[in-house]
């Protein structure tokens, strides 16, 4: 089939490449000419495992092309996927729908044959209906334009596999024709047994927002338990393992630590709160405010614990930060908890050295102050404290004994509960983590000694939030 993908950020670029992979002829569209040029040359403008290979393969054959022209898009196909960003508005919790509206307003008058526009961006419930009125107003006489919503559930770092082998496909449609077209697009996936849920657009919009809200709630739940563990001398990792054996609960998304960030979870729960208020059901989802608060608190707790480990002050103290991106296997630093903590440490006078395997350029662009390194050993040289803030695989492979030789003091704060703290402890490190008893090396016996975490919260951390690109940001 011929189709276009409008907006070539994390979501759109991956969707376009994967649609070509399953056999469609695809035209990707973005207002950013530099981005479309890179994609057309087979280069991914961001780090996403597996994407460069797909781009190279399909741009070479011409099955996947890119343009900045909506005119060309309208001419190319009668099926258009909208994948532009819906970031948080600067002055409210609500989502900024201006990019989605701009695409629909720009596309509808250019369409000359009956067509289907399929939204994939994450939007507040009710958006498809509101956009439908704009489409009708903009469409040429005699041209039927149908609108459907087909949310995307891909995770950064696994975006290609999540798109090619999703857990489910959700199609919010109002006509049998839209349903038929979407089933045809995803035919190879349906053939392999992936569930296809046909529903109305409002339910489809809500599935996405509810899924992200549930995931965020799960993370904040375990982080709340981590605070209780700190107060009670219990271990949140063992707690999560034990809870996770209950199939109704499950272990995934129960990793306590610095909390969630990125371009999706934080802004999606806030946009949901805002939309629920508009629908006068704010009370029903008020718990999401607490989910957000618990999440923000993890950043402050990490800073407080780091300060405590350094004896009460950051001024002039050298700190090595491992990780800048909001999660591993991504170079995305949008609302990165790691960068928010780094920002606060630097603001309080610490001499911060940051390492990240993929995110250094993006991190420097939003937080230019700290020194950035691409070698862990260099970042850690003479550090009085090592902070593990993003759980990249390479940090788990570090040799704590070797690292102990380059730092000034072997102190580790594992804010992701992902390192083998017993091994670090055995190599002579004073190890702390959120929600776990402390490992303080004790001459003569191996019993860990508990250290109390301060619960007084400081001023809110001024978390850096990278600006969204004009279009093509992930939903
Ligand atoms: C999230 C959802 O997982 C996807 O299903 C969804 O499609 C996507 O948002 C979106 O709306 O586009 P993503 O933002 O790529 O995907 O990242 P996640 O893997 O969900 O992680 C989000 C954050 O939660 C990260 O900062 C991660 O470190 C944190 N996290 C995750 C935890 O703190 N603990 C956990 O147990 C799991």
């Amino acid at each position: 089939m011929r189709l276009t993908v409008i907006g070539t950020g994390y979501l759109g670029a991956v969707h376009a490449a994967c649609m070509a992979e399953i056999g469609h002829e695809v035209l990707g569209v973005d207002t950013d000419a530099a981005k479309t040029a890179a994609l057309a040359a087979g280069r991914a403008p961001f780090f996403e495992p597996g994407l460069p290979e797909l781009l190279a393969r399909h741009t070479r054959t011409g099955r996947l092309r890119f343009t900045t022209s909506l005119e060309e898009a309208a001419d190319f196909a009668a099926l258009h996927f909208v994948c532009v960003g819906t970031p948080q508005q600067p002055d409210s919790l609500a989502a900024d729908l201006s990019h989605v509206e701009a695409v629909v307003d720009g596309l509808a008058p250019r369409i000359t044959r009956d067509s289907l526009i399929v939204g994939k961006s994450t939007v507040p419930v009710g958006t498809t209906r509101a956009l439908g009125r704009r489409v009708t107003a903009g469409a040429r006489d005699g041209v039927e334009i149908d609108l459907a919503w087909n949310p995307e559930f891909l995770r950064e770092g696994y975006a290609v596999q999540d798109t090619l082998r999703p857990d489910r496909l959700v199609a919010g449609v109002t006509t049998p024709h839209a349903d038929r077209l979407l089933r045809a697009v995803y035919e190879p996936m349906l053939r392999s047994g992936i569930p296809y849920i046909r529903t109305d657009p409002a339910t489809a919009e809500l599935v996405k927002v509810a899924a992200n809200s549930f995931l965020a709630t799960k993370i904040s739940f375990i982080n709340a338990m981590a605070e209780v563990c700190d107060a009670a001398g219990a271990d949140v990792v063992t707690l999560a393992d034990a809870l996770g054996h209950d199939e109704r609960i499950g272990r995934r998304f129960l990793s306590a630590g610095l909390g969630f960030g990125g371009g999706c979870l934080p802004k999606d729960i806030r946009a949901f709160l805002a939309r629920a208020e508009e629908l006068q059901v704010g009370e029903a989802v008020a718990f999401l405010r607490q989910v957000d608060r618990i999440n923000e608190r993890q950043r402050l707790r990490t800073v407080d614990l780091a300060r405590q480990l350094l004896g009460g002050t950051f001024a002039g103290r050298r700190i090595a930060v491992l990780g800048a991106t909001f999660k591993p296997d991504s170079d995305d630093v949008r609302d990165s908890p790691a960068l928010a903590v780094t920002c606060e440490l630097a603001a309080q006078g610490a001499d911060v050295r940051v390492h990240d395997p993929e995110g250094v350029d993006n991190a420097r662009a939003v937080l230019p102050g700290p020194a950035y390194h691409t070698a862990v050993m260099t970042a850690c040289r003479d550090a009085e404290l090592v902070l593990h803030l993003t759980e990249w695989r390479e940090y788990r492979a570090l040799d704590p004994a070797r690292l102990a030789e380059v730092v000034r003091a072997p102190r580790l704060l594992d804010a992701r509960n992902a390192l083998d703290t017993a091994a670090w402890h055995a190599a002579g490190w004073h190890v702390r983590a959120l929600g776990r008893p402390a490992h303080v090396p004790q001459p003569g016996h191996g019993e860990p000694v508990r250290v109390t975490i301060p619960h007084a919260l400081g001023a809110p951390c001024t978390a850096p939030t990278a600006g969204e690109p004009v279009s093509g940001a992930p939903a």
Side-chain angles (χ1 to χ4, degrees), residues 53 88 108 127 132 221 244 251 270 288 333 339 375 389 396 401 427 443:
E53 292 80 357
Q88 186 179 339
T127 301
F221 174 83
R251 180 63 173 83
R270 292 172 195 154
L288 290 175
V333 298
L339 267 199
L389 301 186
R396 292 199 285 284

Side-chain angles (χ1 to χ4, degrees), residues 92-109:
S92 86
L93 295 184
D96 172 2
L97 297 179
S98 59
H99 305 312
V100 177
E101 290 166 355
V103 168
V104 164
D105 292 348
L107 188 61

Side-chain angles (χ1 to χ4, degrees), residues 152-156 208 212 215 219 253-255 259-261 264-265 268 326-327 391 416 475:
E152 180 59 57
F153 302 95
L154 63 79
R155 296 159 298 168
E156 289 180 26
K208 174 58 192 264
N212 277 2
L215 294 172
I219 298 168
F253 274 69
L254 276 189
S255 295
F260 57 83
C264 302
L265 261 47
D268 287 352
F326 86 100
K327 67 175 203 176
E391 67 278 33
R416 287 293 179 185

Side-chain angles (χ1 to χ4, degrees), residues 53 91 95-96 137 142 153 155 168 185 196 216 238 249 281 332-333 363 378 397 400 429 435 441-442 466:
E53 292 80 357
D91 50 0
D96 172 2
F153 302 95
R155 296 159 298 168
R168 76 298 213 184
V185 168
Y196 175 95
T238 308
I249 298 173
V281 286
D332 194 345
V333 298
T378 325
W429 288 75
Q442 296 291 300

Side-chain angles (χ1 to χ4, degrees), residues 34 48 85 93 98 100 136 148 222 286 302 384 404 428 440 457 475:
E48 186 60 52
L93 295 184
S98 59
V100 177
T136 309
I222 201 64
T302 301
E384 294 178 70
V440 183
L457 302 176

